[in-house]
Amino acid sequence: MLFKQQALLRQKLFVLGSLAIGSLLYLVARVGSLDRLQPLCPIDGRFGPRGQEEIPLRALQFKRGLLHEFRKGNATKEQIRLHNLVQQLPKAIIIGVRKGGTRALLEMLNLHPAVVKASQEIHFFDNDENYAKGIEWYRKKMPFSYPHQITIEKSPAYFITEEVPERIYKMNSSIKLLIIVREPTTRAISDYTQVLEGKERKNKTYYKFEKLAIDPNTCEVNTKYKAVRTSIYTKHLERWLKYFPVEQFHIVDGDRLITEPLPELQLVEKFLNLPPRISQYNLYFNATRGFYCLRFNIVFNKCLAGSKGRIHPEVDTSVITKLRKFFHPFNQKFYQITGRTFNWP
């Protein structure tokens, strides 16, 4: 009797298992057919009068998953051709500034389904050796993308390197340029902190910030110190304005991007003529890290590298006051040129 009951139970489990496997295979086939029936549409066609509609989650996952495989170099030339993928020159570049939040801005913009980012800093326009390799070398450094998507790269050294504006102008005189800035003194200290950490990793000694930022002979601000010089934003911007009109620049508030990123990202979407797609859903605050992290979909989240948000060393208040007083007239001119005012002391 017990043997018959066990045999009957095994038979029922087999039937149920077969039904479950059959249902799963049907769902897989069904989803595959839906993907074939509903390909990712060109961005210009999708966002007409109904521009506020959400991109289907499946299309977003398709972009993230498929392009990730191509970026890893796992695709054949035939697969690339069949999927209509190309390596495009960037239509927008984050040109600076160093320690202003360029990486955070790039990663956050990549939340938009019409944006594809170059993961590494290319340093094409600011590096003579790379620039001599030619524009096709630069193009081959770009990620694979669909023709309707915008490729964006970031190399913060571009902003302060003298030859770069002319070189970018020769590539594309109508390119859109993004500059992300922070309060100049804070940015300079952050710049110093990054260098200091690198020295400490190599067990090397380094001067205190005060000794670098202030000339010991004159007791005035040391403009030869690169961290100080980089924070004189208007001096660098004036060089760019010899080649590009101010309308081709968008200034991003790096301090606000840390505390309240969505409004800043919405301004960038508008500047790049992108339909609004980044929402509060895509950004969530990580209390442990003290920064906003990114949510691409229900399964894929991402936080910035642990090196972000380094603790700054204590700096003599008199030096901070002296620096802020020094930067003040340059800041006022920067506000006037860009049309954007910041609450910098």
Side-chain angles (χ1 to χ4, degrees):
M1 184 67 178
L2 180 61
F3 177 79
K4 288 183 178 180
Q5 288 177 339
Q6 289 176 338
L8 183 61
L9 179 60
R10 283 196 296 270
Q11 186 177 9
K12 287 181 179 180
L13 289 172
F14 176 79
V15 172
L16 289 172
S18 299
L19 288 172
I21 292 171
S23 300
L24 180 61
L25 290 173
Y26 171 79
L27 288 172
V28 170
R30 179 64 176 161
V31 170
S33 65
L34 285 173
D35 279 340
R36 288 192 293 274
L37 289 171
Q38 301 179 30
L40 187 65
C41 298
I43 216 75
D44 292 335
R46 291 190 63 81
F47 305 112
R50 298 184 299 166
Q52 298 301 317
E53 294 179 5
E54 290 298 324
I55 288 181
L57 176 61
R58 182 168 53 255
L60 183 58
Q61 291 171 326
F62 182 73
K63 173 203 165 186
R64 302 293 173 196
L66 183 61
L67 290 184
H68 179 66
E69 291 302 311
F70 288 134
R71 287 170 191 158
K72 291 194 299 184
N74 295 339
T76 64
K77 290 183 178 180
E78 182 63 15
Q79 286 174 315
I80 293 168
R81 184 186 67 79
L82 288 174
H83 287 286
N84 198 30
L85 289 167
V86 290
Q87 286 174 293
Q88 305 182 80
L89 291 173
K91 295 177 183 176
I93 300 178
I94 301 172
I95 60 173
V97 299
R98 173 181 161 91
K99 305 311 300 173
T102 56
R103 173 56 61 183
L105 177 61
L106 183 69
E107 296 292 344
M108 288 177 178
L109 288 179
N110 194 50
L111 288 164
H112 199 292
V115 171
V116 179
K117 69 178 175 69
S119 296
Q120 302 298 320
E121 293 181 9
I122 310 299
H123 290 287
F124 177 63
F125 297 103
D126 67 306
N127 183 296
D128 291 341
E129 185 178 338
N130 287 342
Y131 189 69
K133 295 175 183 178
I135 202 72
E136 281 307 307
W137 178 88
Y138 181 54
R139 187 196 302 271
K140 292 291 176 63
K141 292 293 181 180
M142 294 299 133
F144 285 101
S145 61
Y146 294 100
H148 63 268
Q149 291 175 318
I150 293 177
T151 296
I152 295 181
E153 76 124 323
K154 74 102 173 175
S155 293
Y158 288 168
F159 185 58
I160 63 170
T161 305
E162 190 171 341
E163 299 82 6
V164 171
E166 182 179 5
R167 290 174 174 179
I168 292 182
Y169 180 84
K170 287 179 178 178
M171 178 191 72
N172 182 358
S173 62
S174 62
I175 197 165
K176 292 181 180 291
L177 302 165
L178 292 159
I179 305 171
I180 179 166
V181 294
R182 296 188 68 191
E183 191 276 313
T185 301
T186 302
R187 194 223 63 82
I189 296 171
S190 180
D191 197 326
Y192 167 84
T193 305
Q194 178 169 295
V195 176
L196 176 65
E197 185 181 275
K199 298 285 186 182
E200 289 176 340
R201 277 201 305 267
K202 299 175 182 177
N203 294 319
K204 293 183 178 181
T205 57
Y206 196 49
Y207 294 112
K208 292 187 68 175
F209 176 79
E210 292 88 340
K211 191 169 184 178
L212 294 168
I214 304 298
D215 188 324
N217 297 318
T218 64
C219 293
E220 297 299 328
V221 173
N222 180 15
T223 55
K224 293 181 180 179
Y225 178 39
K226 188 176 179 179
V228 169
R229 203 165 61 246
T230 299
S231 285
I232 308 174
Y233 305 138
T234 185
K235 289 289 187 182
H236 305 294
L237 182 58
E238 285 172 343
R239 184 170 58 250
W240 284 85
L241 291 172
K242 294 176 182 177
Y243 294 91
F244 299 97
V246 70
E247 292 77 20
Q248 280 177 234
F249 296 88
H250 178 72
I251 310 301
V252 179
D253 185 340
D255 294 307
R256 192 183 184 202
L257 193 73
I258 295 171
T259 60
E260 197 180 1
L262 185 58
E264 286 299 314
L265 295 173
Q266 289 171 334
L267 289 173
V268 178
E269 283 180 323
K270 186 176 180 180
F271 172 69
L272 296 177
N273 296 320
L274 292 171
R277 285 296 176 271
I278 302 173
S279 69
Q280 198 61 57
Y281 168 81
N282 302 120
L283 303 159
Y284 66 95
F285 188 74
N286 185 314
T288 304
R289 297 287 306 280
F291 283 91
Y292 277 87
C293 293
L294 317 179
R295 181 184 291 115
F296 288 86
N297 52 48
I298 56 175
V299 288
F300 182 39
N301 298 343
K302 181 177 182 178
C303 288
L304 298 177
S307 61
K308 305 301 177 185
R310 297 178 180 90
I311 298 174
H312 292 181
E314 288 189 19
V315 177
D316 190 291
T317 54
S318 66
V319 171
I320 291 176
T321 301
K322 187 182 286 287
L323 283 168
R324 287 176 172 172
K325 185 177 179 181
F326 168 80
F327 286 127
H328 182 75
F330 296 112
N331 295 342
Q332 295 302 309
K333 193 170 184 181
F334 186 71
Y335 303 159
Q336 185 179 11
I337 292 172
T338 61
R340 183 156 195 188
T341 302
F342 299 94
N343 295 320
W344 296 336

